[in-house]
Amino acid sequence: MNLFNYRRRPSHVVQVGNTPMGGNQPIRVQSMTNTVTMDTEACVQQVLRIAEAGGEYVRLTTQGVREAENMRLINAGVRQAGCMVPLVADVHFNPRVADVAALYCEKVRINPGNYVDAARQFKQLEYTDEEYAAELQKIEARLIPFLQTCREHYTAVRIGVNHGSLSDRIMSRYGDTPEGIVESCMEFLRICQRVDFRNVVISIKASNTVVMVQSMRLLVRAMQKEGMTFPLHLGVTEAGEGEDGRIKSAVGIGALLLDGIGDTIRVSLSEAPEREIPVARDIVDYVTSCRQGHDLLLPDDLQIPSLYDWLHPRRRQTTRVGEIGDGQVPVVLRDIPVEKAVVFNPFTFNAGTAELLRNHPEIIVVSRPRTQNRLGEHRALAFALMNLGLSNPMLVAMPSPAELGARDWAHYQLLCAIETGILFIDALADGLVVPQDVEARQGEELAYAILQAARARFTRTEYISCPGCGRTLYDLEGTIARVKAATSHLKGLKIAIMGCIVNGPGEMADADYGYVGAARGRVSLYRRKECVERNIPEEEAVQRLLDLIQRDIHN
């Protein structure tokens, strides 16, 4: 992996209908309907809207066999309208549904966490090596016939692992870790490899951007070791809505794309699905333009430090200068006293400046790139400091809207999140410096939002909300608005708002409280992974959630 210059990860081409991905194909963008799959006309119309917005694949939930059967009518309706966008069936809990969907869709998504394994119950189970091997044989016995059906019907497969739905079996052996997420995926990929079924795309998703990025990096390394070149689907699941959802998606997806990882992306917003497409397109277009063809010409002796681990980044050790450095939470600054800071890029860093910093560890380094390959420059400067044993704190200068070519404020938020969020996932920086040509309050709010999206500093309530699909059991957008209105004054909490149970408890393992659709018009409330109120009326649920939080605060 080249950490300074853009090299797209090599992958083989997977044929999904008439729209291939991987290899030298463009990075594809996609979305998912939130209509009821048995409502054929509503699904057809939403697929057409997503395709018109630029979506290149459209996924639909198939809860059961009848929904999978209805994909035949939906597919026919879309084709009759003159649209050839490939359709993807989303399957959980029932492998028989995947078998049926493979007959009528261009791609079928299966979830290793619940394809054969029982739905996650958070039980502490123990498996002997023999028992674990027997479970893997069950997976193989069920998966191979499905792959054969897909081979016969030219249907692609997405193996989609979600952090929130790892099986109790995987949890028993690996725990709730990125390594467990990767192994859940690799178990299925090894079977595909053995039977020479290559028409497979892989996704690993989490609502936590650090977990999502680290897991995908580990997967890339694991596949390299086993000679696999499957293309990759990227996404931050349950990213939320509005600017928070966009910034979080830009940080997580952008961090991987910047390193050349990813062949298709989905921005999961709790909004109308067609609104995801322009955001996804902006992310892809910006990364490919700002990195591709902009190699840094660095000194031959600039090496990645032995202390730096791209797979498991740890915060760089720095000297404390007031509130900056030495493991303190990253800062957001507008103005830095000149006597306390020196602005550098890797081209102006030399023996003289290194000696100055060695003699004055209280001087703060501000990294301000001069080329379009900003990530390469930031990393090069941070690595130079590490290689020389210099402990000066390093701040990252946020690029201005003009530098990024932003067309408006929303576009600037997205691009700035891509450019700077990765430095905190990489654990290389001690804070952000807001540009002078951005209004102070706006710039500071954006900087704090980026730090929160990168899990580096929490300054406000975080909402983990799914984008909705045909499984959603209530008005998701309206509910999010009501929950936010009732709880936004509570600082530092993480609240999950989930349309159904598929990823609910698992993704809520990273949240303090959860609001989950349990049945039509009914909601269950969670405190972390524990369900504390079941099947309460939807009209009472927001107030009951607030009451639960208030009781915990006062206790």
Side-chain angles (χ1 to χ4, degrees):
M1 185 64 62
N2 190 317
L3 297 186
F4 303 116
N5 298 314
Y6 182 87
R7 299 288 184 273
R8 188 169 166 190
R9 169 188 165 269
S11 63
H12 66 256
V13 174
V14 165
Q15 194 68 38
V16 186
N18 64 349
T19 310
M21 75 164 73
N24 294 322
Q25 296 294 321
I27 297 172
R28 306 293 188 182
V29 299
Q30 57 180 286
S31 185
M32 182 175 184
T33 64
N34 59 15
T35 45
V36 176
T37 310
M38 293 307 296
D39 188 338
T40 304
E41 184 58 24
C43 290
V44 169
Q45 292 305 314
Q46 194 167 71
V47 168
L48 296 177
R49 289 196 296 273
I50 293 169
E52 185 177 2
E56 293 169 284
Y57 310 115
V58 180
R59 184 159 44 114
L60 300 91
T61 188
T62 49
Q63 302 98 305
V65 170
R66 67 176 193 148
E67 285 84 3
E69 292 278 6
N70 201 52
M71 289 301 299
R72 178 176 62 85
L73 298 180
I74 294 170
N75 206 322
V78 171
R79 306 300 168 236
Q80 189 174 3
C83 177
M84 298 306 295
V85 64
L87 302 186
V88 184
D90 191 65
V91 178
H92 297 272
F93 305 120
N94 187 346
R96 172 60 184 149
V97 175
D99 296 340
V100 174
L103 307 177
Y104 307 121
C105 299
E106 283 72 37
K107 183 167 72 171
V108 177
R109 179 270 178 101
I110 58 174
N111 184 342
N114 55 41
Y115 182 70
V116 170
D117 286 290
R120 184 173 173 182
Q121 298 294 317
F122 299 95
K123 293 178 180 178
Q124 296 296 320
L125 304 177
E126 296 294 333
Y127 289 83
T128 66
D129 289 347
E130 292 76 15
E131 290 170 335
Y132 202 95
E135 293 299 311
L136 293 181
Q137 288 176 354
K138 288 181 185 178
I139 293 172
E140 183 164 332
R142 196 66 190 80
L143 183 62
I144 289 177
F146 166 66
L147 296 179
Q148 183 58 32
T149 299
C150 292
R151 196 192 306 269
E152 291 169 359
H153 290 81
Y154 304 97
T155 306
V157 174
R158 172 179 152 201
I159 296 174
V161 182
N162 272 18
H163 182 211
S165 56
L166 290 179
S167 68
D168 290 327
R169 178 179 58 81
I170 284 288
M171 293 281 287
S172 73
R173 184 64 61 94
Y174 296 92
D176 193 8
T177 63
E179 287 77 9
I181 295 171
V182 170
E183 183 59 24
S184 179
C185 182
M186 292 297 292
E187 289 178 350
F188 279 63
L189 287 182
R190 292 183 188 114
I191 297 170
C192 295
Q193 191 94 320
R194 276 201 298 276
V195 299
D196 194 30
F197 187 88
R198 291 168 50 83
N199 218 31
V200 176
V201 180
I202 312 157
S203 71
I204 286 180
K205 295 188 179 183
S207 61
N208 181 319
T209 55
V210 173
V211 171
M212 172 254 195
V213 171
Q214 185 180 1
S215 299
M216 192 58 87
R217 288 176 175 179
L218 285 167
L219 176 65
V220 167
R221 182 65 55 87
M223 287 200 298
Q224 284 176 337
K225 288 182 178 178
E226 300 194 28
M228 298 177 182
T229 58
F230 297 101
L232 302 174
H233 168 130
L234 308 182
V236 178
T237 192
E238 284 92 38
E241 45 87 63
E243 65 179 43
D244 287 344
R246 286 159 171 77
I247 290 170
K248 193 172 184 181
S249 295
V251 168
I253 295 171
L256 291 164
L257 288 180
L258 284 168
D259 279 334
I261 297 170
D263 301 283
T264 180
I265 75 168
R266 190 242 173 140
V267 173
S268 299
L269 300 176
S270 302
E271 303 174 19
E274 57 266 31
R275 296 185 65 182
E276 297 177 350
I277 300 302
V279 182
R281 176 52 58 199
D282 280 342
I283 292 173
V284 168
D285 289 350
Y286 180 73
V287 169
T288 52
S289 67
C290 78
R291 288 280 272 163
Q292 201 160 15
H294 295 285
D295 281 9
L296 291 182
L297 300 177
L298 295 169
D300 292 337
D301 60 351
L302 181 58
Q303 301 294 321
I304 297 172
S306 58
L307 291 175
Y308 181 74
D309 185 350
W310 181 71
L311 297 176
H312 303 91
R314 297 180 62 185
R315 185 89 174 265
R316 175 175 160 258
Q317 295 294 308
T318 57
T319 298
R320 179 178 297 219
V321 182
E323 297 180 352
I324 303 172
D326 191 30
Q328 299 181 95
V329 294
V331 298
V332 172
L333 299 178
R334 175 75 172 187
D335 297 303
I336 305 174
V338 174
E339 67 274 9
K340 287 188 176 181
V342 178
V343 178
F344 282 124
N345 60 54
F347 307 106
T348 59
F349 190 82
N350 54 42
T353 52
E355 188 64 20
L356 170 69
L357 296 177
R358 190 179 305 280
N359 293 331
H360 294 278
E362 76 282 1
I363 290 179
I364 300 163
V365 173
V366 180
S367 180
R368 190 184 301 279
R370 74 180 193 188
T371 73
Q372 282 190 269
N373 188 350
R374 296 176 182 85
L375 173 60
E377 288 202 47
H378 288 310
R379 280 176 169 165
L381 181 55
F383 291 165
L385 295 172
M386 294 173 74
N387 284 330
L388 291 169
L390 300 175
S391 63
N392 306 74
M394 187 179 101
L395 305 181
V396 171
M398 294 165 62
S400 70
E403 288 177 278
L404 296 180
R407 59 179 179 266
D408 54 33
W409 179 251
H411 193 220
Y412 174 65
Q413 289 177 311
L414 201 68
L415 305 190
C416 195
I418 294 170
E419 285 287 5
T420 58
I422 188 172
L423 277 306
F424 297 93
I425 289 178
D426 280 354
L428 294 176
D430 297 292
L432 288 169
V433 180
V434 178
Q436 292 295 320
D437 57 352
V438 169
E439 192 274 323
R441 183 186 60 81
Q442 269 193 320
E444 288 168 4
E445 286 181 354
L446 172 58
Y448 283 120
I450 292 170
L451 292 177
Q452 183 149 320
R455 322 299 284 184
R457 179 173 183 173
F458 292 89
T459 52
R460 54 188 176 182
T461 300
E462 179 176 2
Y463 299 95
I464 301 168
S465 62
C466 68
C469 68
R471 296 176 186 264
T472 302
L473 297 167
Y474 55 83
D475 171 17
L476 188 64
E477 289 190 58
T479 300
I480 293 168
R482 293 197 301 277
V483 171
K484 281 189 170 184
T487 61
S488 59
H489 62 289
L490 303 170
K491 304 302 180 186
L493 287 180
K494 287 179 278 194
I495 299 175
I497 308 161
M498 315 297 287
C500 73
I501 204 66
V502 168
N503 296 315
E507 294 301 346
M508 287 184 307
D510 193 45
D512 300 296
Y513 298 94
Y515 179 113
V516 180
R520 191 66 59 187
R522 294 280 167 170
V523 171
S524 293
L525 300 181
Y526 284 72
R527 182 189 293 112
R528 297 185 178 87
K529 293 181 288 188
E530 179 189 3
C531 184
V532 293
E533 295 193 48
R534 295 182 185 276
N535 299 320
I536 60 181
E538 182 186 349
E539 58 270 17
E540 300 176 14
V542 173
Q543 184 58 50
R544 299 265 285 268
L545 173 65
L546 185 59
D547 292 344
L548 171 64
I549 295 170
Q550 294 291 359
R551 284 198 303 273
D552 287 352
I553 290 173
H554 290 114
N555 288 339

